[in-house]
Amino acid sequence: MFLDPFQLPFFALSQVKALPNCTAIYFAIDSHDRILYIGQATNLATRWKNHHRRYQLEDIDRKTPVRIAWVPWNQEGLTEAETLLIKSFQPLLNGTEVKSPEIIPAEIVLHKFLNQFSRRLIAIGFEQNNAEKPPNIHLKYDWTNCSSDGTAAKIKRFIQDNSCPNTSFKIERKPYGKIIPCEVIRPGSRLQKVNARQNRSYNNHWRIACNGVFIHITPTNYYKEIKSNTDLQKLANIRIRTVMPSVFAEFANRYPPEFSGLSCWVRDLVPRLWQ
């Protein structure tokens, strides 16, 4: 059997969603024309939705781009053709142990997040847990810096940069509320652009779940006032600003929407399971 895999149609590994629905023999080939893997598929597109070698190939792809080439084949001859082609080309990965991706505990990513944002967030308190719900910790950020250096923009970049299928850590977002100017906004006006920028910074309620605790991150109009009355306590073993017990009751009366239903911070509520 003679077959030249380097003359076959192909898609880059990052484009495997475009592979056709056909019975085929396929080849994973790197940018140096080294054949990494040969396989068979009764439906090529379906096979690559959850391929057992995907992680290994993606790891190689970061250094030497990988492409998936294929040739349509009749189903009855798939196994025989695959066996002969493997014997002919001796691909790198066939017959080797399947490498599993490293699983990253959510706590590790949370630790990284808090380490990066500890100077930008204030823990104002927590909701007492009961039999129906776990502890809920509430953090506040300063939304008034609407630039790319502002806290909201940096959190969004962190989420984008740390999007990883190998961890259960997720930062969920929902709208918090919009800033509506007193005056009428004309479409396309400078005021509309300013207001849009403000809302991108303000209109965010992020929620993180980790080790049985929920952490809520929302904006505040009183960041500077609150910050001047904080000390440092630990959250997930990261030192973060917390509202001092001596002023908690006063702040709860002064800023009721911010502190409603909260208790004063007393200790680190996030258990460390993966130290």
Side-chain angles (χ1 to χ4, degrees):
M1 175 190 296
F2 177 75
L3 181 65
D4 187 352
F6 309 113
Q7 301 300 317
L8 299 175
F10 66 87
F11 282 108
L13 184 63
S14 61
Q15 300 175 314
V16 290
K17 289 182 179 180
L19 288 168
N21 293 288
C22 67
T23 303
I25 297 291
Y26 59 86
F27 303 79
I29 307 168
D30 75 2
S31 58
H32 297 299
D33 284 344
R34 294 177 294 204
I35 297 179
L36 306 173
Y37 190 82
I38 297 174
Q40 60 167 291
T42 54
N43 186 307
L44 186 62
T46 301
R47 181 72 186 91
W48 278 93
K49 285 181 179 178
N50 188 26
H51 199 285
H52 66 295
R53 296 283 180 175
R54 183 74 175 264
Y55 173 74
Q56 281 177 295
L57 292 172
E58 286 177 342
D59 194 34
I60 295 170
D61 185 62
R62 282 188 277 271
K63 302 168 185 173
T64 54
V66 174
R67 64 187 188 273
I68 307 302
W70 77 93
V71 56
W73 212 269
N74 64 77
Q75 190 165 341
E76 292 74 21
L78 274 177
T79 301
E80 181 183 0
E82 179 191 37
T83 302
L84 288 172
L85 288 165
I86 290 172
K87 286 182 179 179
S88 297
F89 290 102
Q90 292 295 307
L92 178 69
L93 297 179
N94 285 84
T96 64
E97 182 181 353
V98 177
K99 183 179 178 183
S100 299
E102 178 187 4
I103 304 301
I104 306 171
E107 178 187 309
I108 301 301
V109 190
L110 174 63
H111 196 270
K112 178 181 178 182
F113 174 83
L114 291 174
N115 203 39
Q116 182 173 331
F117 289 96
S118 60
R119 295 186 179 184
R120 293 172 173 262
L121 300 172
I122 299 173
I124 64 168
F126 70 99
E127 297 176 55
Q128 295 277 5
N129 62 309
N130 53 46
E132 297 180 357
K133 65 178 184 178
N136 282 259
I137 298 167
H138 289 261
L139 309 182
K140 291 291 183 178
Y141 71 92
D142 182 7
W143 68 270
T144 57
N145 184 346
C146 304
S147 72
S148 59
D149 191 50
T151 300
K154 285 185 173 291
I155 290 176
K156 291 173 184 178
R157 277 201 299 276
F158 180 93
I159 294 170
Q160 184 177 0
D161 294 344
N162 290 273
S163 176
C164 175
N166 303 326
T167 179
S168 59
F169 181 84
K170 298 289 183 294
I171 301 181
E172 300 174 347
R173 181 198 168 276
K174 63 180 182 180
Y176 183 70
K178 287 192 174 183
I179 298 172
I180 302 175
C182 298
E183 54 190 296
V184 176
I185 300 179
R186 183 169 51 84
S189 66
R190 180 179 177 279
L191 179 59
Q192 185 201 33
K193 294 175 182 177
V194 169
N195 183 242
R197 226 172 17 249
Q198 289 175 331
N199 279 309
R200 282 195 295 270
S201 183
Y202 180 84
N203 191 20
N204 302 291
H205 178 168
W206 288 289
R207 190 184 78 160
I208 302 170
C210 182
N211 295 353
V213 177
F214 288 114
I215 299 173
H216 301 264
I217 304 172
T218 53
T220 178
N221 291 317
Y222 313 109
Y223 184 85
K224 291 181 179 179
E225 294 91 325
I226 296 173
K227 181 181 176 181
S228 62
N229 290 276
T230 59
D231 55 15
L232 293 174
Q233 300 290 338
K234 287 187 177 181
L235 174 60
N237 210 37
I238 296 293
R239 290 167 70 83
I240 190 171
R241 294 182 183 278
T242 60
V243 175
M244 292 188 294
S246 58
V247 298
F248 183 85
E250 178 189 341
F251 277 12
N253 289 326
R254 191 187 303 176
Y255 312 120
E258 311 275 349
F259 287 81
S260 177
L262 300 186
S263 298
C264 183
W265 189 267
V266 289
R267 59 184 174 84
D268 192 344
L269 295 173
V270 179
R272 299 294 307 283
L273 306 178
W274 298 89
Q275 298 182 37

